[in-house]
Amino acid sequence: MTAEDRTKWAKIREKMMAMDAVNAHNLAIIEQSMLVLAFDDASPKNHGENLYETLAGSAHNRWFDHISTMVAFKSGLLCANYEHSSAEALVHGYTGYFISSQLQRNGPKWKGSVPDRLVPPPEELVFTIDDEIRAAVVQAEKTFLNQASDIEVICPNFTDYGKKFIRSFKLHPDSYMQTVLQLAYFRIHGKPAPTYETATLRQYYHGRTETVRSCTTEVVNWCKAMVDNTVPVEEQKELMMAAFKKHIQLMEEAKCMLGFDRHLFGLQVLAMGAGIPLPSIFSDPVYTKSGGGGNFVLSTSLGGYTPCPGAAAPMVHHGHGIFYNILPDRITYSVSAWKSCKETSAEEMSASIQQSLRDMRKLLMTS
């Protein structure tokens, strides 16, 4: 049921709690737990298969509302579904990195001590349901399978270079990758893509996130120059540096609470909660086309500088979800797309990303 439309699940959840106190007790146990551990019979062999199976492989053993559902696959790989209401991806990412580091340090054999304590045996949680709930469960699985069969997720490694090379030119790796993504999309579609990138507000008490709109005038000017053979290389390089500089500026502003997306979202939620008519900006086609209201064509995020990649579905049908991890000698990134959209392809976008990475290196090494 947690894979179903959230409003439908909320109504079924309320009914389950009302019809049986045991149901309410069982839901409380699950929802108040620190972790859901799911054992899965799938056997993914690489990052791409691991991410796909975790995101879209099964709805039978996941609790998608939970902050952290760790999935242990039959092949020995681990991955997790994260719900973001109470924590950002950064928290989960470093949890995964800690687990990965411990596994690499200890090898396949456990070397720690087992505390001498009594652990209660597992207890089956049995729910009381009726025909309406049973039918809702069947429909929820159909909803999930319909979406799961439509999404494609890949996670390749770019091994030509990584953070070390980018830093050797005194460039910020994240600004570098955001610029890569803009060129990759522009080459395929001949137009810019409204882009979301996560900025953290963790320097503030109770700080969450803000949006960096990394599709700027500066980066679009550079993309146009890169597909125009008449533009001199030195001019292409200057425009690229201007795009880097603008992205850094926007990121710093967002981190200092000078963004506007979360502010507008807050006003929208307040108006909806108070029953006040929404201001016209929220229905303006330009606001939606720019990505407002969750309509960004590229939904992106830096997963950090660790070897633990992540993935997410696109925000819109004609978009991509792109996560990337920048390591010293390589860049690992995931690309998602909807198969039913004829405009997008995860494989095509990935190939364009790699071509852009190679072209930018060539541009940097031009004196």
Side-chain angles (χ1 to χ4, degrees):
M1 285 306 305
T2 60
E4 179 57 280
D5 171 84
R6 292 181 72 83
T7 301
K8 293 180 181 178
W9 161 227
K11 291 178 180 178
I12 291 294
R13 180 179 175 277
E14 288 297 322
K15 177 177 179 176
M16 290 176 64
M17 295 175 68
M19 71 186 297
D20 192 334
V22 175
N23 285 349
H25 174 72
N26 290 344
L27 287 168
I29 288 176
I30 297 170
E31 293 168 354
Q32 295 174 19
S33 65
M34 293 181 64
L35 176 76
V36 172
L37 177 59
F39 293 95
D40 200 293
D41 287 334
S43 296
K45 299 181 291 295
N46 53 49
H47 282 323
E49 293 180 7
N50 198 11
L51 293 171
Y52 175 81
E53 287 293 340
T54 306
L55 188 66
S58 174
H60 291 174
N61 56 6
R62 314 283 202 272
W63 198 270
F64 290 112
D65 287 349
H66 201 280
I67 182 176
S68 181
T69 299
M70 184 70 69
V71 186
F73 291 105
K74 193 173 182 179
S75 59
L77 294 182
L78 295 173
C79 202
N81 281 120
Y82 294 129
E83 203 285 318
H84 283 232
S85 294
S86 57
E88 313 312 336
L90 195 66
V91 176
H92 306 304
Y94 278 99
T95 301
Y97 179 52
F98 174 78
I99 296 171
S100 174
S101 299
Q102 292 294 93
L103 290 172
Q104 290 183 19
R105 187 182 72 175
N106 293 324
K109 294 185 178 181
W110 173 251
K111 298 177 182 178
S113 60
V114 178
D116 185 16
R117 64 185 182 190
L118 295 176
V119 178
E123 176 186 348
E124 182 180 6
L125 302 181
V126 180
F127 290 89
T128 300
I129 62 174
D130 58 15
D131 289 342
E132 180 188 357
I133 296 173
R134 190 174 290 106
V137 170
V138 173
Q139 182 57 48
E141 182 172 22
K142 290 180 180 178
T143 300
F144 175 81
L145 292 175
N146 183 55
Q147 290 184 313
S149 63
D150 191 31
I151 196 170
E152 58 175 334
V153 182
I154 61 173
C155 187
N157 281 309
F158 177 80
T159 58
D160 290 18
Y161 64 88
K163 178 182 175 182
K164 186 177 180 181
F165 172 82
I166 299 169
R167 281 294 194 189
S168 70
F169 290 89
K170 296 181 172 58
L171 299 174
H172 196 294
D174 180 52
S175 295
Y176 190 91
M177 272 304 296
Q178 283 293 317
T179 308
V180 166
L181 300 182
Q182 292 298 318
L183 179 58
Y185 184 90
F186 192 92
R187 276 182 164 154
I188 296 172
H189 300 279
K191 60 183 180 181
T195 304
Y196 167 89
E197 183 191 8
T198 308
T200 179
L201 300 179
R202 58 183 174 172
Q203 65 178 320
Y204 297 97
Y205 186 58
H206 287 168
R208 297 299 301 261
T209 65
E210 181 52 271
T211 298
V212 175
R213 291 173 171 246
S214 51
C215 181
T216 63
T217 301
E218 288 79 2
V219 80
V220 172
N221 289 339
W222 173 67
C223 289
K224 290 178 179 178
M226 288 297 289
V227 298
D228 186 347
N229 294 330
T230 66
V231 178
V233 172
E234 282 305 319
E235 184 178 343
Q236 290 177 338
K237 190 173 181 179
E238 289 176 8
L239 290 170
M240 181 174 69
M241 293 301 177
F244 292 156
K245 183 178 179 181
K246 183 64 176 181
H247 179 268
I248 292 172
Q249 175 194 334
L250 292 179
M251 178 59 78
E252 289 304 313
E253 289 177 356
K255 286 162 60 177
C256 293
M257 294 183 66
L258 295 175
F260 65 86
D261 279 275
R262 297 296 185 267
H263 178 70
L264 288 175
F265 177 66
L267 293 177
Q268 181 181 7
V269 171
L270 286 172
M272 292 171 66
I276 301 172
L278 288 177
S280 60
I281 185 175
F282 296 110
S283 58
D284 193 312
V286 175
Y287 178 69
T288 302
K289 190 174 182 179
S290 73
N295 289 285
F296 290 99
V297 174
L298 296 184
S299 177
T300 73
S301 186
L302 168 64
Y305 302 95
T306 76
C308 301
M315 277 192 187
V316 294
H317 188 244
H318 59 288
H320 292 289
I322 304 177
F323 283 28
Y324 49 91
N325 292 62
I326 307 172
L327 301 169
D329 60 345
R330 69 186 187 276
I331 298 169
T332 302
Y333 60 93
S334 66
V335 183
S336 66
W338 297 111
K339 296 177 185 177
S340 56
C341 179
K342 304 304 180 184
E343 298 178 33
T344 57
S345 161
E347 291 287 355
E348 185 180 20
M349 185 61 178
S350 174
S352 190
I353 288 172
Q354 299 217 8
Q355 184 60 51
S356 297
L357 282 164
R358 294 187 178 101
D359 288 346
M360 288 172 66
R361 176 181 64 179
K362 183 177 179 181
L363 202 58
L364 283 174
M365 297 181 73
T366 302
S367 59

